[in-house]
Amino acid sequence: MSNELKSFFENELKEHLASQLSSYKNITVIKNEIKIKKTKGNSAHASIGLDYIANARGYILSMSVSSPEFQQFVIDVSPPYRSNLLTEYALALTSSGEKTKTFSPSTGGAVSLPLNPEKLKETILWITEKITSIYLPRAMNLIHFSEELISDVINAPDDYSHPFLLILYTTKKRGIAVNQLNEDIIFSKKISKNINFDKSVLLQHIANKKDG
């Protein structure tokens, strides 16, 4: 792909995403990146980015969400295990190497770009639909600790720093009864990194609710 065509595509994608996301006051769209900024009442922030990979002749997607509120909860709980992630993010993922075809229509994780301008609109619509229907909702669910975050974590626990603690914190924030959770799932190896510790935290949470 020529540099001119690549630049044209990126500018067109930026303009289309900016139009589609204009209703979000805390979202800024720049070239190859969507930034979800902090708000007065919420210090969480996020980034959804696109990187062009020359060998793949296409773009991979990456996303990260930082939540100081959840990070403080993890510090207070002090789990005896490390984060799934190599950073302080609560959520981090990339489409590179994905086999699920969540972002890309083919395995490998990159959305290929056509070599002619006529099909660029099709690619722009594809990427926009993936971002607005999958990745942006996941970011927002974490930023606001929405009830939907629980299923997000269960479906992709490796993308989150502390899956069990994030599920527990969401129940606290949303007033969800613990007995609504499936213990076989939340104490599975993918979710719980230390069953004894996590069960003790859960029991403490139940005790605190009774005392309250």
Side-chain angles (χ1 to χ4, degrees):
M1 171 176 286
S2 68
N3 289 333
E4 292 80 9
L5 189 54
K6 177 174 174 290
S7 179
F8 175 75
F9 167 78
E10 292 176 354
N11 287 329
E12 289 294 303
L13 177 61
K14 172 182 174 293
E15 293 302 318
H16 186 71
L17 284 170
S19 174
Q20 294 297 305
L21 302 176
S22 60
S23 62
Y24 293 90
K25 302 303 181 184
N26 64 322
I27 287 183
T28 300
V29 180
I30 61 176
K31 193 172 183 179
N32 293 342
E33 186 179 8
I34 297 168
K35 292 185 175 182
I36 306 172
K37 299 177 290 185
K38 301 175 184 178
T39 61
K40 185 176 181 180
N42 193 329
S43 59
H45 52 95
S47 171
I48 302 173
L50 295 168
D51 293 300
Y52 182 75
I53 306 300
N55 292 341
R57 292 186 178 182
Y59 288 84
I60 62 168
L61 178 143
S62 61
M63 180 169 73
S64 61
V65 180
S66 176
S67 173
E69 180 180 345
F70 177 65
Q71 186 177 4
Q72 186 58 54
F73 174 71
V74 174
I75 291 171
D76 293 341
V77 171
S78 188
Y81 48 83
R82 296 181 179 181
S83 165
N84 282 338
L85 311 177
L86 299 177
T87 67
E88 293 184 352
Y89 293 125
L91 164 62
L93 63 84
T94 176
S95 69
S96 179
E98 71 173 13
K99 299 178 181 178
T100 56
K101 299 182 182 180
T102 303
F103 177 65
S104 170
S106 58
T107 57
V111 173
S112 300
L113 297 180
L115 297 179
N116 59 79
E118 289 74 22
K119 291 190 177 181
L120 288 183
K121 183 176 181 180
E122 179 181 329
T123 306
I124 287 171
L125 293 176
W126 175 277
I127 292 176
T128 300
E129 192 277 332
K130 294 296 182 179
I131 289 174
T132 56
S133 68
I134 299 174
Y135 297 98
L136 183 59
R138 284 185 65 183
M140 289 300 190
N141 287 344
L142 176 47
I143 288 171
H144 299 291
F145 299 104
S146 304
E147 186 172 346
E148 292 79 7
L149 176 59
I150 294 175
S151 59
D152 288 346
V153 175
I154 290 172
N155 291 332
D158 291 343
D159 293 342
Y160 296 88
S161 61
H162 300 81
F164 175 83
L165 295 180
L166 192 48
I167 289 172
L168 179 62
Y169 192 67
T170 303
T171 66
K172 290 166 63 77
K173 291 285 290 186
R174 292 293 152 220
I176 300 170
V178 173
N179 60 14
Q180 293 183 31
L181 302 175
N182 186 322
E183 291 196 9
D184 289 337
I185 293 176
I186 66 171
F187 290 118
S188 64
K189 290 182 179 180
K190 281 286 189 178
I191 304 292
S192 175
K193 302 303 178 183
N194 185 313
I195 293 178
N196 290 335
F197 177 83
D198 288 341
K199 282 188 174 181
S200 70
V201 175
L202 179 64
L203 291 174
Q204 184 62 53
H205 167 62
I206 295 172
N208 290 341
K209 287 192 68 174
K210 289 181 179 179
D211 292 340

